[in-house]
Amino acid sequence: MNNPERLREITDNVLYGLTADESLKNRIIQKASVKQEKDSRPFFLPVPALCGIVALLVLTMGVLNNLRPVDPASSVEMKVFSAGSVDISPAPDSFFSDILPDLNYENVLSVELTECGVVNDPEECAELIAALQECETSSDVVSEDSGRQLIIHCSNGTVYRFSVNEPYLVGDQCWICDSFFTLFHRFSDD
Amino acid sequence: MSLQPEQMDRPSGSLSFDQMYDLYATDVLRVSYYYLGNREMAEDVTQDVFVKLLTNQPALEEGREKAWLLKVALNRCRDLWRSAWIKKVVLGHPGFECFPAPDEIGQIADQYSLSAAVNRLKPEFKEVVLLFYYQGFSVTEIADMLQIAEGTVSSRLSRAREKLQNELKGDDKQ
């Protein structure tokens, strides 16, 4: 009876009552309509908001100018730009979420991989951050810097920048993030 | 604004949305359920897959519609599986439920053990088992869908069979 060859037949019995019905279909059509409406909405920034963004940019640039700039050719350390620089020296065998627990799904506006693309969709950004938080440190030695960066813009004005050498994020520790990069390429290809 | 009738008629290829939903939505739902072990999340995945079909309008080759739907569903399941939330909520409370026909309730006990064992496999094994044994795809088709080598599919199938056999032997002893 328990032969995998019979999985189709067995599933038809065991999951007989689990079917995609009309109510699910209606939910799908409704959600697709809402998504299309949202996607087709013209880009519009109210003037006050625009002024706020300009002011924020000016302030942020002021902070960034006081920081050591990223030199892609020599950078083998991970840098975080926010209201100040943060030194990150994680313990070996740690998860990415251990070093940046505040980087959460809600406040990410966009995730950019230089020379590859930008992901702006909130749901996709949330998935990317979830994948990123799962990255683990690796004992692999990644000496060659590709010059590429991962840039994460947050709604509070914080911008995180990381040196990238796929499938690694390169810092004082090296994080292996192949699932994150696979996901990013899928989203940016869609 | 709502979807235009022509978009609903032919989201991709030669099948209409209605036809694709009627033909494949239950398979997408059940594969997702096997993967996640949670009905609500499996429905959400099915919803996401078909919303993507309607809004992205992918150009699908005739006869490849189901492969595309299951590929997107498995990608979504994998993403959910990775998220911290599902590890806490679902892995913390595993439980593969049955939804049998009313007149078969007494006969499914021994069938349940295989289904539950498949649900408990690690994702990389579960994917190939579901696509090969449940959905009837060939090793070549699975390799194409999962973007892995055919040899990898074969070895995962072989190891999955072994794991199922061991686990079911354990169930028999209990």
Side-chain angles (χ1 to χ4, degrees):
Chain A
M1 175 56 74
N2 280 322
N3 185 340
E5 306 281 351
R6 298 190 57 205
L7 190 60
R8 175 93 214 177
E9 175 197 344
I10 285 174
T11 300
D12 286 343
N13 293 333
V14 169
L15 298 183
Y16 174 87
L18 185 67
T19 54
D21 55 16
E22 283 299 308
S23 71
L24 180 58
K25 188 175 174 180
N26 292 335
R27 263 168 54 196
I28 289 165
I29 293 169
Q30 196 179 2
K31 180 147 188 198
S33 295
V34 170
K35 191 168 190 299
Q36 289 229 322
E37 186 181 3
K38 195 174 142 194
D39 291 347
S40 64
R41 208 175 283 161
F43 182 71
F44 173 69
L45 274 177
V47 173
L50 194 57
C51 293
I53 288 170
V54 171
L56 189 61
L57 278 174
V58 170
L59 283 171
T60 309
M61 289 310 290
V63 172
L64 293 186
N65 284 337
N66 291 327
L67 294 173
R68 202 151 41 99
V70 174
D71 177 4
S74 64
S75 173
V76 287
E77 61 180 327
M78 185 170 67
K79 297 175 190 306
V80 177
F81 291 159
S82 64
S85 65
V86 179
D87 286 331
I88 295 174
S89 302
D93 303 322
S94 56
F95 284 98
F96 199 88
S97 52
D98 297 332
I99 59 154
L100 286 177
D102 296 334
L103 181 60
N104 61 45
Y105 313 151
E106 290 88 16
N107 66 11
V108 173
L109 293 177
S110 68
V111 181
E112 178 182 356
L113 193 54
T114 54
E115 298 173 25
C116 184
V118 185
V119 173
N120 296 306
D121 180 82
E123 284 181 15
E124 292 180 346
C125 284
E127 286 182 38
L128 285 170
I129 297 302
L132 192 62
Q133 299 284 30
E134 298 281 296
C135 297
E136 284 183 84
T137 49
S138 163
S139 56
D140 297 347
V141 178
V142 182
S143 54
E144 198 173 317
D145 194 330
S146 68
R148 297 172 63 203
Q149 289 183 4
L150 172 67
I151 306 169
I152 301 171
H153 290 264
C154 299
S155 55
N156 61 2
T158 307
V159 181
Y160 295 96
R161 291 173 185 267
F162 307 101
S163 296
V164 168
N165 195 340
E166 284 191 47
Y168 301 99
L169 284 183
V170 186
D172 290 347
Q173 289 286 329
C174 188
W175 281 268
I176 182 151
C177 304
D178 43 3
S179 57
F180 167 81
F181 287 111
T182 306
L183 196 59
F184 188 95
H185 289 300
R186 182 149 60 78
F187 288 155
S188 59
D189 288 344
D190 281 348
Chain B
M1 182 185 143
S2 60
L3 288 165
Q4 299 303 306
E6 61 272 19
Q7 290 174 289
M8 298 286 294
D9 287 347
R10 293 285 179 270
S12 56
S14 57
L15 293 178
S16 70
F17 170 79
D18 279 338
Q19 286 172 317
M20 286 178 77
Y21 186 87
D22 292 344
L23 284 169
Y24 307 128
T26 294
D27 280 338
V28 171
L29 178 66
R30 288 179 180 177
V31 165
S32 304
Y33 180 74
Y34 260 118
Y35 202 114
L36 299 167
N38 179 292
R39 183 177 187 156
E40 287 73 29
M41 294 182 78
E43 285 183 351
D44 286 347
V45 168
T46 308
Q47 176 179 300
D48 290 349
V49 170
F50 280 89
V51 166
K52 195 163 191 168
L53 174 74
L54 275 173
T55 54
N56 290 16
Q57 308 268 313
L60 301 179
E61 284 173 44
E62 201 168 332
R64 301 267 304 149
E65 296 91 348
K66 186 179 182 183
W68 183 87
L69 292 168
L70 288 172
K71 182 181 170 179
V72 175
L74 287 173
N75 281 335
R76 185 80 185 108
C77 287
R78 221 174 289 134
D79 297 341
L80 285 170
W81 191 257
R82 267 199 305 260
S83 76
W85 185 85
I86 193 169
K87 282 182 183 163
K88 283 176 196 154
V89 176
V90 179
L91 284 181
H93 306 87
F96 187 86
E97 288 176 50
C98 292
F99 302 90
D103 56 343
E104 299 225 359
I105 289 174
Q107 300 167 33
I108 60 151
D110 51 350
Q111 300 180 11
Y112 169 80
S113 56
L114 174 64
S115 306
V118 170
N119 170 249
R120 286 194 296 269
L121 286 172
K122 282 186 176 176
E124 62 265 34
F125 298 121
K126 191 156 38 181
E127 289 171 2
V128 293
V129 165
L130 288 173
L131 293 174
F132 188 81
Y133 289 112
Y134 178 36
Q135 292 299 319
F137 286 102
S138 69
V139 168
T140 308
E141 287 170 321
I142 296 170
D144 185 45
M145 287 166 75
L146 301 180
Q147 309 264 290
I148 53 178
E150 287 184 31
T152 309
V153 176
S154 301
S155 72
R156 283 185 189 175
L157 273 174
S158 165
R159 288 174 64 194
R161 270 193 298 267
E162 208 174 298
K163 283 172 187 294
L164 284 173
Q165 209 169 14
N166 290 339
E167 186 151 349
L168 293 169
K169 269 183 200 162
D171 282 356
D172 288 346
K173 284 176 191 166
Q174 286 169 8

